[in-house]
Each structure stands twice: as structure tokens, then as C-alpha cells.
């Protein structure tokens, strides 16, 4: 996937989110899924940020599953595993 070139006024975060929406849209289209790609991308974005916060910033709790396992489950729960 080629990354879009950012205009000087565009934020990296917004460009990254737009790329995520595009990737989610492609997956949903390939699956024949009519969900709103923007809405699903928001779900992915917030889920990933939660994982990063909990696993990265609260290690003292020593109770978190492996981060990759959490991300893998995200794709299963949101049905984003390509067919």
C-alpha cells in the first residue's frame, strides 16, 4: 500500500487515520460487508489506542495479555480478517 503524500497543513495522525479508513474499506468491500468503513476504522483506532495505553503505560499491573494477541483478536471481533 502506497502512503499518500501529506500536504503541509495535514497532520500525520489524520493522514494515518485516512489510510486506515481506506484499508478497512478495501477489506469490507472484499468481504461484501456493507458496514461504514469510517465507523469500523474508528473502532480499530480506539481499540489500538487502548491496547497501547494499557500495555505500554500500565505495565505495573502485570496482567495484560500479549499485545499481538489483543490485536489479532481485534481483527476477529470486528470481522476484518480477509477471506
Amino acid at each position: 500500500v502506497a502512503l499518500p503524500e501529506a500536504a503541509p497543513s495535514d497532520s500525520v495522525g489524520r493522514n494515518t487515520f485516512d489510510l486506515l479508513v481506506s484499508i478497512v474499506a478495501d477489506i469490507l468491500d472484499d468481504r461484501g460487508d456493507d458496514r461504514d468503513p469510517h465507523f469500523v476504522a474508528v473502532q480499530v483506532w480506539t481499540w489500538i489506542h487502548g491496547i497501547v495505553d494499557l500495555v505500554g503505560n500500565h505495565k505495573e499491573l502485570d496482567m495484560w495479555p500479549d499485545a499481538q494477541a489483543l490485536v489479532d483478536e481485534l481483527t476477529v471481533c470486528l470481522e476484518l480478517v480477509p477471506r
Side-chain angles (χ1 to χ4, degrees), residues 40-57:
V40 176
V42 168
Q43 291 177 298
V44 171
W45 191 264
T46 56
W47 195 320
I48 293 294
H49 277 76
I51 292 169
V52 168
D53 178 52
L54 294 175
V55 174
N57 295 321

Side-chain angles (χ1 to χ4, degrees), residues 30-79:
D30 287 348
R31 292 178 56 83
D33 189 326
D34 65 353
R35 289 181 290 166
D36 176 12
H38 184 270
F39 184 82
V40 176
V42 168
Q43 291 177 298
V44 171
W45 191 264
T46 56
W47 195 320
I48 293 294
H49 277 76
I51 292 169
V52 168
D53 178 52
L54 294 175
V55 174
N57 295 321
H58 302 284
K59 294 178 183 179
E60 73 281 359
L61 297 178
D62 194 31
M63 61 185 233
W64 309 120
D66 176 67
Q68 185 61 54
L70 292 169
V71 172
D72 291 345
E73 188 65 15
L74 162 107
T75 62
V76 172
C77 289
L78 294 179
E79 298 180 16

Side-chain angles (χ1 to χ4, degrees), residues 18-38:
D18 290 344
L19 178 60
L20 176 62
V21 172
S22 176
I23 291 167
V24 168
D26 288 345
I27 292 170
L28 295 178
D29 186 52
D30 287 348
R31 292 178 56 83
D33 189 326
D34 65 353
R35 289 181 290 166
D36 176 12
H38 184 270

